[in-house]
mmCIF file of all heavy atoms in Angstrom:
data_model
loop_
_atom_site.group_PDB
_atom_site.id
_atom_site.type_symbol
_atom_site.label_atom_id
_atom_site.label_comp_id
_atom_site.label_asym_id
_atom_site.label_seq_id
_atom_site.Cartn_x
_atom_site.Cartn_y
_atom_site.Cartn_z
ATOM 1 N N ARG A 15 12.274 -12.682 3.502
ATOM 2 C CA ARG A 15 12.845 -12.107 2.285
ATOM 3 C C ARG A 15 13.522 -10.770 2.577
ATOM 4 O O ARG A 15 14.597 -10.468 2.051
ATOM 5 C CB ARG A 15 11.747 -11.908 1.239
ATOM 6 C CG ARG A 15 12.256 -11.402 -0.099
ATOM 7 C CD ARG A 15 11.127 -10.961 -1.009
ATOM 8 N NE ARG A 15 10.411 -9.806 -0.495
ATOM 9 C CZ ARG A 15 9.408 -9.217 -1.133
ATOM 10 N NH1 ARG A 15 8.992 -9.688 -2.292
ATOM 11 N NH2 ARG A 15 8.804 -8.155 -0.604
ATOM 12 N N GLY A 16 12.882 -9.960 3.418
ATOM 13 C CA GLY A 16 13.481 -8.682 3.779
ATOM 14 C C GLY A 16 14.826 -8.860 4.462
ATOM 15 O O GLY A 16 15.767 -8.093 4.220
ATOM 16 N N LEU A 17 14.915 -9.879 5.296
ATOM 17 C CA LEU A 17 16.177 -10.148 5.992
ATOM 18 C C LEU A 17 17.240 -10.640 5.010
ATOM 19 O O LEU A 17 18.401 -10.211 5.064
ATOM 20 C CB LEU A 17 15.948 -11.192 7.091
ATOM 21 C CG LEU A 17 17.123 -11.497 8.010
ATOM 22 C CD1 LEU A 17 17.552 -10.243 8.773
ATOM 23 C CD2 LEU A 17 16.763 -12.601 8.993
ATOM 24 N N MET A 18 16.852 -11.518 4.086
ATOM 25 C CA MET A 18 17.821 -12.113 3.175
ATOM 26 C C MET A 18 18.331 -11.110 2.140
ATOM 27 O O MET A 18 19.517 -11.110 1.808
ATOM 28 C CB MET A 18 17.192 -13.320 2.462
ATOM 29 C CG MET A 18 16.897 -14.483 3.390
ATOM 30 S SD MET A 18 18.366 -15.032 4.311
ATOM 31 C CE MET A 18 19.426 -15.572 2.949
ATOM 32 N N ARG A 19 17.457 -10.249 1.617
ATOM 33 C CA ARG A 19 17.940 -9.340 0.581
ATOM 34 C C ARG A 19 18.723 -8.160 1.152
ATOM 35 O O ARG A 19 19.288 -7.370 0.403
ATOM 36 C CB ARG A 19 16.789 -8.861 -0.302
ATOM 37 C CG ARG A 19 15.752 -7.958 0.319
ATOM 38 C CD ARG A 19 14.679 -7.686 -0.718
ATOM 39 N NE ARG A 19 13.556 -6.927 -0.199
ATOM 40 C CZ ARG A 19 12.427 -6.724 -0.882
ATOM 41 N NH1 ARG A 19 12.308 -7.225 -2.093
ATOM 42 N NH2 ARG A 19 11.448 -6.029 -0.370
ATOM 43 N N ASN A 20 18.727 -8.060 2.474
ATOM 44 C CA ASN A 20 19.555 -7.040 3.130
ATOM 45 C C ASN A 20 20.610 -7.690 4.028
ATOM 46 O O ASN A 20 21.076 -7.067 4.981
ATOM 47 C CB ASN A 20 18.670 -6.113 3.973
ATOM 48 C CG ASN A 20 17.692 -5.306 3.145
ATOM 49 O OD1 ASN A 20 18.075 -4.353 2.491
ATOM 50 N ND2 ASN A 20 16.418 -5.686 3.168
ATOM 51 N N ARG A 21 20.959 -8.936 3.705
ATOM 52 C CA ARG A 21 21.768 -9.724 4.645
ATOM 53 C C ARG A 21 23.141 -9.123 4.920
ATOM 54 O O ARG A 21 23.615 -9.190 6.063
ATOM 55 C CB ARG A 21 21.912 -11.161 4.161
ATOM 56 C CG ARG A 21 22.464 -11.346 2.778
ATOM 57 C CD ARG A 21 22.411 -12.826 2.359
ATOM 58 N NE ARG A 21 22.854 -13.056 1.010
ATOM 59 C CZ ARG A 21 22.077 -12.948 -0.057
ATOM 60 N NH1 ARG A 21 20.824 -12.560 0.084
ATOM 61 N NH2 ARG A 21 22.545 -13.187 -1.265
ATOM 62 N N TRP A 22 23.789 -8.527 3.885
ATOM 63 C CA TRP A 22 25.145 -8.020 4.136
ATOM 64 C C TRP A 22 25.143 -6.751 4.976
ATOM 65 O O TRP A 22 25.883 -6.668 5.965
ATOM 66 C CB TRP A 22 25.885 -7.833 2.811
ATOM 67 C CG TRP A 22 26.079 -9.117 2.075
ATOM 68 C CD1 TRP A 22 25.602 -9.457 0.844
ATOM 69 C CD2 TRP A 22 26.774 -10.277 2.546
ATOM 70 N NE1 TRP A 22 25.950 -10.737 0.514
ATOM 71 C CE2 TRP A 22 26.687 -11.268 1.534
ATOM 72 C CE3 TRP A 22 27.469 -10.579 3.723
ATOM 73 C CZ2 TRP A 22 27.261 -12.523 1.672
ATOM 74 C CZ3 TRP A 22 28.037 -11.830 3.863
ATOM 75 C CH2 TRP A 22 27.934 -12.782 2.848
ATOM 76 N N PRO A 23 24.348 -5.740 4.647
ATOM 77 C CA PRO A 23 24.300 -4.585 5.558
ATOM 78 C C PRO A 23 23.737 -4.954 6.926
ATOM 79 O O PRO A 23 24.157 -4.396 7.945
ATOM 80 C CB PRO A 23 23.405 -3.578 4.835
ATOM 81 C CG PRO A 23 22.681 -4.346 3.795
ATOM 82 C CD PRO A 23 23.573 -5.477 3.420
ATOM 83 N N MET A 24 22.800 -5.915 6.953
ATOM 84 C CA MET A 24 22.271 -6.356 8.247
ATOM 85 C C MET A 24 23.356 -7.040 9.060
ATOM 86 O O MET A 24 23.438 -6.864 10.288
ATOM 87 C CB MET A 24 21.091 -7.302 8.051
ATOM 88 C CG MET A 24 19.789 -6.617 7.652
ATOM 89 S SD MET A 24 19.176 -5.463 8.907
ATOM 90 C CE MET A 24 18.709 -6.588 10.205
ATOM 91 N N ALA A 25 24.208 -7.825 8.388
ATOM 92 C CA ALA A 25 25.312 -8.495 9.097
ATOM 93 C C ALA A 25 26.248 -7.449 9.702
ATOM 94 O O ALA A 25 26.716 -7.605 10.848
ATOM 95 C CB ALA A 25 26.068 -9.410 8.134
ATOM 96 N N ALA A 26 26.521 -6.377 8.945
ATOM 97 C CA ALA A 26 27.372 -5.310 9.475
ATOM 98 C C ALA A 26 26.696 -4.630 10.666
ATOM 99 O O ALA A 26 27.340 -4.334 11.683
ATOM 100 C CB ALA A 26 27.664 -4.291 8.380
ATOM 101 N N SER A 27 25.398 -4.402 10.551
ATOM 102 C CA SER A 27 24.665 -3.784 11.662
ATOM 103 C C SER A 27 24.657 -4.700 12.879
ATOM 104 O O SER A 27 24.864 -4.253 14.015
ATOM 105 C CB SER A 27 23.227 -3.479 11.223
ATOM 106 O OG SER A 27 22.490 -2.891 12.271
ATOM 107 N N PHE A 28 24.434 -5.997 12.651
ATOM 108 C CA PHE A 28 24.465 -6.977 13.756
ATOM 109 C C PHE A 28 25.805 -6.920 14.473
ATOM 110 O O PHE A 28 25.864 -6.891 15.713
ATOM 111 C CB PHE A 28 24.248 -8.398 13.224
ATOM 112 C CG PHE A 28 22.853 -8.688 12.760
ATOM 113 C CD1 PHE A 28 22.569 -9.869 12.101
ATOM 114 C CD2 PHE A 28 21.819 -7.793 12.972
ATOM 115 C CE1 PHE A 28 21.287 -10.156 11.673
ATOM 116 C CE2 PHE A 28 20.533 -8.061 12.532
ATOM 117 C CZ PHE A 28 20.260 -9.250 11.880
ATOM 118 N N ALA A 29 26.894 -6.920 13.681
ATOM 119 C CA ALA A 29 28.235 -6.970 14.273
ATOM 120 C C ALA A 29 28.507 -5.714 15.112
ATOM 121 O O ALA A 29 28.984 -5.805 16.252
ATOM 122 C CB ALA A 29 29.288 -7.121 13.174
ATOM 123 N N LEU A 30 28.184 -4.550 14.562
ATOM 124 C CA LEU A 30 28.477 -3.305 15.273
ATOM 125 C C LEU A 30 27.588 -3.121 16.502
ATOM 126 O O LEU A 30 28.054 -2.688 17.566
ATOM 127 C CB LEU A 30 28.315 -2.120 14.328
ATOM 128 C CG LEU A 30 29.391 -2.016 13.235
ATOM 129 C CD1 LEU A 30 29.011 -0.968 12.193
ATOM 130 C CD2 LEU A 30 30.753 -1.680 13.847
ATOM 131 N N LEU A 31 26.309 -3.475 16.378
ATOM 132 C CA LEU A 31 25.417 -3.354 17.531
ATOM 133 C C LEU A 31 25.767 -4.386 18.601
ATOM 134 O O LEU A 31 25.652 -4.111 19.806
ATOM 135 C CB LEU A 31 23.956 -3.523 17.088
ATOM 136 C CG LEU A 31 23.377 -2.365 16.273
ATOM 137 C CD1 LEU A 31 21.966 -2.687 15.817
ATOM 138 C CD2 LEU A 31 23.389 -1.065 17.072
ATOM 139 N N SER A 32 26.193 -5.568 18.168
ATOM 140 C CA SER A 32 26.635 -6.577 19.145
ATOM 141 C C SER A 32 27.884 -6.100 19.871
ATOM 142 O O SER A 32 28.028 -6.295 21.092
ATOM 143 C CB SER A 32 26.909 -7.909 18.431
ATOM 144 O OG SER A 32 25.725 -8.415 17.846
ATOM 145 N N LEU A 33 28.797 -5.459 19.125
ATOM 146 C CA LEU A 33 29.994 -4.887 19.751
ATOM 147 C C LEU A 33 29.599 -3.839 20.783
ATOM 148 O O LEU A 33 30.167 -3.774 21.886
ATOM 149 C CB LEU A 33 30.887 -4.279 18.672
ATOM 150 C CG LEU A 33 32.187 -3.626 19.145
ATOM 151 C CD1 LEU A 33 33.101 -4.657 19.808
ATOM 152 C CD2 LEU A 33 32.898 -2.937 17.979
ATOM 153 N N TRP A 34 28.624 -3.013 20.427
ATOM 154 C CA TRP A 34 28.110 -1.994 21.361
ATOM 155 C C TRP A 34 27.557 -2.637 22.633
ATOM 156 O O TRP A 34 27.893 -2.228 23.749
ATOM 157 C CB TRP A 34 27.038 -1.179 20.655
ATOM 158 C CG TRP A 34 26.073 -0.483 21.566
ATOM 159 C CD1 TRP A 34 26.367 0.459 22.503
ATOM 160 C CD2 TRP A 34 24.657 -0.697 21.649
ATOM 161 N NE1 TRP A 34 25.226 0.863 23.164
ATOM 162 C CE2 TRP A 34 24.167 0.168 22.655
ATOM 163 C CE3 TRP A 34 23.764 -1.514 20.966
ATOM 164 C CZ2 TRP A 34 22.810 0.211 22.986
ATOM 165 C CZ3 TRP A 34 22.425 -1.465 21.289
ATOM 166 C CH2 TRP A 34 21.960 -0.614 22.299
ATOM 167 N N GLN A 35 26.742 -3.672 22.490
ATOM 168 C CA GLN A 35 26.134 -4.309 23.651
ATOM 169 C C GLN A 35 27.169 -5.042 24.511
ATOM 170 O O GLN A 35 27.103 -5.013 25.740
ATOM 171 C CB GLN A 35 25.046 -5.279 23.201
ATOM 172 C CG GLN A 35 23.743 -4.610 22.793
ATOM 173 C CD GLN A 35 22.918 -4.169 23.995
ATOM 174 O OE1 GLN A 35 22.157 -4.929 24.565
ATOM 175 N NE2 GLN A 35 23.093 -2.919 24.380
ATOM 176 N N VAL A 36 28.113 -5.680 23.839
ATOM 177 C CA VAL A 36 29.170 -6.371 24.587
ATOM 178 C C VAL A 36 29.995 -5.358 25.392
ATOM 179 O O VAL A 36 30.336 -5.600 26.560
ATOM 180 C CB VAL A 36 30.064 -7.182 23.631
ATOM 181 C CG1 VAL A 36 31.328 -7.672 24.355
ATOM 182 C CG2 VAL A 36 29.294 -8.368 23.064
ATOM 183 N N CYS A 37 30.299 -4.218 24.774
ATOM 184 C CA CYS A 37 31.039 -3.180 25.492
ATOM 185 C C CYS A 37 30.218 -2.625 26.657
ATOM 186 O O CYS A 37 30.766 -2.328 27.734
ATOM 187 C CB CYS A 37 31.422 -2.051 24.537
ATOM 188 S SG CYS A 37 32.713 -2.490 23.356
ATOM 189 N N GLU A 38 28.899 -2.469 26.452
ATOM 190 C CA GLU A 38 28.020 -2.058 27.543
ATOM 191 C C GLU A 38 28.105 -3.059 28.688
ATOM 192 O O GLU A 38 28.136 -2.687 29.875
ATOM 193 C CB GLU A 38 26.569 -1.964 27.035
ATOM 194 C CG GLU A 38 26.293 -0.782 26.114
ATOM 195 C CD GLU A 38 25.766 0.420 26.876
ATOM 196 O OE1 GLU A 38 26.005 0.503 28.095
ATOM 197 O OE2 GLU A 38 25.126 1.275 26.243
ATOM 198 N N THR A 39 28.134 -4.337 28.326
ATOM 199 C CA THR A 39 28.218 -5.389 29.347
ATOM 200 C C THR A 39 29.527 -5.301 30.121
ATOM 201 O O THR A 39 29.568 -5.569 31.337
ATOM 202 C CB THR A 39 28.106 -6.780 28.678
ATOM 203 O OG1 THR A 39 26.946 -6.802 27.841
ATOM 204 C CG2 THR A 39 27.992 -7.885 29.708
ATOM 205 N N MET A 40 30.587 -4.913 29.426
ATOM 206 C CA MET A 40 31.912 -4.886 30.049
ATOM 207 C C MET A 40 32.110 -3.686 30.966
ATOM 208 O O MET A 40 33.038 -3.678 31.787
ATOM 209 C CB MET A 40 32.984 -4.867 28.954
ATOM 210 C CG MET A 40 33.077 -6.139 28.146
ATOM 211 S SD MET A 40 33.541 -7.560 29.161
ATOM 212 C CE MET A 40 35.159 -7.058 29.711
ATOM 213 N N VAL A 41 31.241 -2.660 30.851
ATOM 214 C CA VAL A 41 31.446 -1.444 31.654
ATOM 215 C C VAL A 41 31.434 -1.740 33.156
ATOM 216 O O VAL A 41 32.379 -1.353 33.884
ATOM 217 C CB VAL A 41 30.403 -0.364 31.291
ATOM 218 C CG1 VAL A 41 30.435 0.783 32.300
ATOM 219 C CG2 VAL A 41 30.677 0.173 29.892
ATOM 220 N N PRO A 42 30.407 -2.411 33.725
ATOM 221 C CA PRO A 42 30.443 -2.679 35.171
ATOM 222 C C PRO A 42 31.602 -3.596 35.570
ATOM 223 O O PRO A 42 32.155 -3.466 36.669
ATOM 224 C CB PRO A 42 29.080 -3.335 35.446
ATOM 225 C CG PRO A 42 28.605 -3.827 34.138
ATOM 226 C CD PRO A 42 29.127 -2.884 33.124
ATOM 227 N N VAL A 43 31.953 -4.501 34.647
ATOM 228 C CA VAL A 43 33.096 -5.380 34.934
ATOM 229 C C VAL A 43 34.370 -4.555 35.013
ATOM 230 O O VAL A 43 35.211 -4.760 35.915
ATOM 231 C CB VAL A 43 33.214 -6.471 33.850
ATOM 232 C CG1 VAL A 43 34.461 -7.319 34.091
ATOM 233 C CG2 VAL A 43 31.968 -7.334 33.834
ATOM 234 N N MET A 44 34.510 -3.597 34.094
ATOM 235 C CA MET A 44 35.703 -2.759 34.090
ATOM 236 C C MET A 44 35.762 -1.897 35.354
ATOM 237 O O MET A 44 36.848 -1.696 35.930
ATOM 238 C CB MET A 44 35.684 -1.858 32.841
ATOM 239 C CG MET A 44 37.019 -1.199 32.545
ATOM 240 S SD MET A 44 38.265 -2.435 32.128
ATOM 241 C CE MET A 44 39.716 -1.395 32.047
ATOM 242 N N ILE A 45 34.599 -1.429 35.791
ATOM 243 C CA ILE A 45 34.572 -0.639 37.026
ATOM 244 C C ILE A 45 34.992 -1.504 38.209
ATOM 245 O O ILE A 45 35.757 -1.068 39.101
ATOM 246 C CB ILE A 45 33.165 -0.058 37.250
ATOM 247 C CG1 ILE A 45 32.864 0.991 36.170
ATOM 248 C CG2 ILE A 45 33.055 0.567 38.642
ATOM 249 C CD1 ILE A 45 31.445 1.513 36.195
ATOM 250 N N GLY A 46 34.552 -2.751 38.235
ATOM 251 C CA GLY A 46 34.965 -3.674 39.301
ATOM 252 C C GLY A 46 36.455 -3.933 39.283
ATOM 253 O O GLY A 46 37.110 -4.004 40.338
ATOM 254 N N VAL A 47 37.001 -4.055 38.077
ATOM 255 C CA VAL A 47 38.453 -4.255 37.950
ATOM 256 C C VAL A 47 39.207 -3.039 38.476
ATOM 257 O O VAL A 47 40.226 -3.171 39.184
ATOM 258 C CB VAL A 47 38.820 -4.534 36.476
ATOM 259 C CG1 VAL A 47 40.341 -4.489 36.285
ATOM 260 C CG2 VAL A 47 38.269 -5.869 36.023
ATOM 261 N N ILE A 48 38.732 -1.838 38.167
ATOM 262 C CA ILE A 48 39.377 -0.615 38.662
ATOM 263 C C ILE A 48 39.359 -0.590 40.188
ATOM 264 O O ILE A 48 40.360 -0.228 40.845
ATOM 265 C CB ILE A 48 38.673 0.635 38.087
ATOM 266 C CG1 ILE A 48 38.915 0.733 36.571
ATOM 267 C CG2 ILE A 48 39.156 1.901 38.774
ATOM 268 C CD1 ILE A 48 38.136 1.833 35.894
ATOM 269 N N ILE A 49 38.231 -0.997 40.772
ATOM 270 C CA ILE A 49 38.138 -1.010 42.245
ATOM 271 C C ILE A 49 39.132 -1.995 42.835
ATOM 272 O O ILE A 49 39.868 -1.671 43.795
ATOM 273 C CB ILE A 49 36.705 -1.362 42.677
ATOM 274 C CG1 ILE A 49 35.746 -0.214 42.305
ATOM 275 C CG2 ILE A 49 36.646 -1.645 44.177
ATOM 276 C CD1 ILE A 49 34.292 -0.533 42.536
ATOM 277 N N ASP A 50 39.185 -3.221 42.279
ATOM 278 C CA ASP A 50 40.067 -4.251 42.839
ATOM 279 C C ASP A 50 41.537 -3.961 42.602
ATOM 280 O O ASP A 50 42.388 -4.185 43.481
ATOM 281 C CB ASP A 50 39.716 -5.617 42.232
ATOM 282 C CG ASP A 50 38.489 -6.241 42.886
ATOM 283 O OD1 ASP A 50 38.096 -5.772 43.970
ATOM 284 O OD2 ASP A 50 37.917 -7.185 42.306
ATOM 285 N N ARG A 51 41.886 -3.424 41.412
ATOM 286 C CA ARG A 51 43.301 -3.288 41.055
ATOM 287 C C ARG A 51 43.867 -1.909 41.347
ATOM 288 O O ARG A 51 45.090 -1.750 41.433
ATOM 289 C CB ARG A 51 43.482 -3.604 39.567
ATOM 290 C CG ARG A 51 43.149 -5.053 39.233
ATOM 291 C CD ARG A 51 43.368 -5.364 37.775
ATOM 292 N NE ARG A 51 44.750 -5.119 37.370
ATOM 293 C CZ ARG A 51 45.217 -5.369 36.140
ATOM 294 N NH1 ARG A 51 44.402 -5.859 35.224
ATOM 295 N NH2 ARG A 51 46.481 -5.118 35.849
ATOM 296 N N ALA A 52 43.023 -0.882 41.490
ATOM 297 C CA ALA A 52 43.557 0.476 41.680
ATOM 298 C C ALA A 52 43.035 1.132 42.954
ATOM 299 O O ALA A 52 43.816 1.673 43.747
ATOM 300 C CB ALA A 52 43.217 1.336 40.468
ATOM 301 N N VAL A 53 41.712 1.095 43.184
ATOM 302 C CA VAL A 53 41.151 1.812 44.329
ATOM 303 C C VAL A 53 41.559 1.161 45.639
ATOM 304 O O VAL A 53 42.064 1.829 46.571
ATOM 305 C CB VAL A 53 39.614 1.899 44.208
ATOM 306 C CG1 VAL A 53 39.012 2.559 45.453
ATOM 307 C CG2 VAL A 53 39.224 2.671 42.947
ATOM 308 N N THR A 54 41.347 -0.157 45.768
ATOM 309 C CA THR A 54 41.658 -0.826 47.040
ATOM 310 C C THR A 54 43.161 -0.934 47.280
ATOM 311 O O THR A 54 43.609 -1.012 48.426
ATOM 312 C CB THR A 54 41.040 -2.241 47.061
ATOM 313 O OG1 THR A 54 41.542 -2.999 45.949
ATOM 314 C CG2 THR A 54 39.534 -2.170 46.988
ATOM 315 N N THR A 55 43.961 -0.953 46.199
ATOM 316 C CA THR A 55 45.418 -1.085 46.356
ATOM 317 C C THR A 55 46.123 0.262 46.375
ATOM 318 O O THR A 55 47.278 0.356 46.801
ATOM 319 C CB THR A 55 46.001 -1.914 45.196
ATOM 320 O OG1 THR A 55 45.749 -1.225 43.961
ATOM 321 C CG2 THR A 55 45.369 -3.292 45.141
ATOM 322 N N GLY A 56 45.470 1.329 45.864
ATOM 323 C CA GLY A 56 46.098 2.647 45.828
ATOM 324 C C GLY A 56 47.161 2.769 44.762
ATOM 325 O O GLY A 56 47.977 3.704 44.804
ATOM 326 N N GLU A 57 47.187 1.845 43.778
ATOM 327 C CA GLU A 57 48.197 1.886 42.719
ATOM 328 C C GLU A 57 47.796 2.913 41.653
ATOM 329 O O GLU A 57 46.806 2.728 40.944
ATOM 330 C CB GLU A 57 48.333 0.504 42.069
ATOM 331 C CG GLU A 57 48.941 -0.546 42.971
ATOM 332 C CD GLU A 57 50.440 -0.352 43.111
ATOM 333 O OE1 GLU A 57 51.031 0.353 42.263
ATOM 334 O OE2 GLU A 57 51.017 -0.893 44.070
ATOM 335 N N VAL A 58 48.607 3.981 41.540
ATOM 336 C CA VAL A 58 48.315 5.032 40.569
ATOM 337 C C VAL A 58 48.483 4.516 39.137
ATOM 338 O O VAL A 58 47.680 4.822 38.236
ATOM 339 C CB VAL A 58 49.228 6.257 40.800
ATOM 340 C CG1 VAL A 58 48.990 7.316 39.717
ATOM 341 C CG2 VAL A 58 48.993 6.837 42.171
ATOM 342 N N ARG A 59 49.533 3.706 38.936
ATOM 343 C CA ARG A 59 49.789 3.166 37.580
ATOM 344 C C ARG A 59 48.607 2.319 37.110
ATOM 345 O O ARG A 59 48.161 2.421 35.969
ATOM 346 C CB ARG A 59 51.072 2.331 37.613
ATOM 347 C CG ARG A 59 51.453 1.750 36.252
ATOM 348 C CD ARG A 59 52.820 1.087 36.330
ATOM 349 N NE ARG A 59 53.177 0.472 35.070
ATOM 350 C CZ ARG A 59 52.819 -0.756 34.698
ATOM 351 N NH1 ARG A 59 52.107 -1.513 35.539
ATOM 352 N NH2 ARG A 59 53.203 -1.237 33.518
#
Side-chain angles (χ1 to χ4, degrees):
R15 184 191 65 178
L17 186 61
M18 293 305 297
R19 68 183 175 189
N20 295 285
R21 55 186 177 275
W22 297 118
M24 284 298 291
S27 180
F28 289 172
L30 290 170
L31 289 176
S32 297
L33 180 63
W34 158 61
Q35 283 283 275
V36 169
C37 289
E38 288 266 22
T39 308
M40 292 297 297
V41 169
V43 176
M44 194 65 187
I45 292 173
V47 170
I48 292 173
I49 292 173
D50 281 345
R51 295 182 59 177
V53 176
T54 58
T55 62
E57 291 285 342
V58 176
R59 181 173 177 275

